[in-house]
Amino acid sequence: MKGALENEAVGSVISEFGNIDELLNELAIEKPVPKKTVRTVSKQEAMDWLDRKRRSGLMVAFGVFLNHFRCGCGRRHEYNGSMGVWEI
């Protein structure tokens, strides 16, 4: 397409070939099929992973407990309306 703008030329080429499947058929190229890979693990690896998950869950729970304890969230707070402050 002589004298056409770049966008017009690209549009012309796309409309000529249609979609990618038609172009692959025209050039006799097979569409690549993605390979599915499955990772296998041993029983020991699976048990180790489960143990790490259990331990990390317990550590998170303990951290939440310590934070709750440190903040004093278990203590009773009362609002003193006259002074506009919370009293412990």
Side-chain angles (χ1 to χ4, degrees):
M1 227 178 139
K2 282 192 171 182
L5 296 175
E6 185 180 352
N7 289 344
E8 292 173 349
V10 170
S12 174
V13 169
I14 290 173
S15 66
E16 226 176 275
F17 285 110
N19 63 23
I20 190 70
D21 291 328
E22 291 175 12
L23 181 59
L24 291 174
N25 287 337
E26 184 75 26
L27 299 174
I29 299 174
E30 289 187 26
K31 199 174 192 179
V33 178
K35 294 180 181 178
K36 294 182 181 179
T37 58
V38 177
R39 180 173 179 245
T40 57
V41 295
S42 67
K43 185 175 181 178
Q44 186 60 44
E45 283 179 304
M47 297 305 283
D48 290 344
W49 182 82
L50 288 172
D51 189 46
R52 282 193 309 272
K53 291 297 280 183
R54 182 187 59 80
R55 264 191 275 136
S56 67
L58 290 174
M59 289 176 12
V60 168
F62 186 62
V64 169
F65 168 75
L66 288 178
N67 196 29
H68 183 77
F69 183 73
R70 180 183 64 85
C71 292
C73 297
R75 293 185 277 176
R76 183 175 177 200
H77 301 277
E78 294 181 11
Y79 181 71
N80 183 346
S82 64
M83 298 183 68
V85 295
W86 286 89
E87 294 180 356
I88 297 175

